[in-house]
Amino acid sequence: SQAVEVTADTTIIYHSGTLPNPANPDADPSSREYWGDTEAQAESVFQNMATSFEKLGVGFGDIIKMQVFLVGDPEMGGRMDFAGFMRSYSKYFGTEAQPNKPARSAFQIAALARPGVYIEIEVVIARPQ
């Protein structure tokens, strides 16, 4: 979506950045196997968001703005894996079950706080009163 509009009777929630859980906690924490690739990490982020959203009483259709921070993947010559992110994103947005899409920006950044993590996602949520 290029733009999303909300009404005055809406509560705006600024949701902190969400990181993935390890894909394989038994692997060496410095290995790619530990965190997984961008697609696996994005899926983990969306699952973590779903857990948080349940507590807030909102869903993916209530997200109005998304910022995606992607670290370059060494296996892709240091370029961000936007396609990997999109494979997971497409399961949650623009589907028959959940047709809404937030206004979105994606950035390639140098690093995140946790080595081996390739993605962090921040969202703004509009909860109708």
Side-chain angles (χ1 to χ4, degrees), residues 71-92:
V71 175
D73 185 336
E75 292 189 12
M76 295 183 64
R79 294 183 322 274
M80 66 180 181
D81 183 6
F82 187 74
F85 159 72
M86 283 301 297
R87 284 190 293 276
S88 183
Y89 172 91
S90 297
K91 296 176 187 176
Y92 296 86

Side-chain angles (χ1 to χ4, degrees), residues 61-80:
D62 297 314
I63 297 173
I64 57 171
K65 173 71 173 127
M66 176 183 287
Q67 290 184 295
V68 182
F69 302 95
L70 294 163
V71 175
D73 185 336
E75 292 189 12
M76 295 183 64
R79 294 183 322 274
M80 66 180 181

Side-chain angles (χ1 to χ4, degrees), residues 66-70 85 104-107 119-122:
M66 176 183 287
Q67 290 184 295
V68 182
F69 302 95
L70 294 163
F85 159 72
R104 183 185 72 200
S105 302
F107 309 92
I119 187 168
E120 181 171 352
I121 301 175
E122 287 182 356

Side-chain angles (χ1 to χ4, degrees), residues 1-20:
S1 296
Q2 182 148 2
V4 176
E5 184 175 340
V6 297
T7 59
D9 62 342
T10 303
T11 299
I12 302 297
I13 301 167
Y14 294 88
H15 196 283
S16 294
T18 303
L19 296 170

Side-chain angles (χ1 to χ4, degrees), residues 23-81:
N24 181 356
D26 296 327
D28 177 352
S30 65
S31 72
R32 181 181 183 88
E33 183 184 357
Y34 184 80
W35 291 107
D37 62 9
T38 300
E39 182 178 358
Q41 289 187 31
E43 184 63 30
S44 178
V45 167
F46 288 128
Q47 289 175 10
N48 288 341
M49 289 175 135
T51 300
S52 177
F53 292 175
E54 189 175 317
K55 294 174 190 170
L56 294 169
V58 297
F60 288 98
D62 297 314
I63 297 173
I64 57 171
K65 173 71 173 127
M66 176 183 287
Q67 290 184 295
V68 182
F69 302 95
L70 294 163
V71 175
D73 185 336
E75 292 189 12
M76 295 183 64
R79 294 183 322 274
M80 66 180 181
D81 183 6

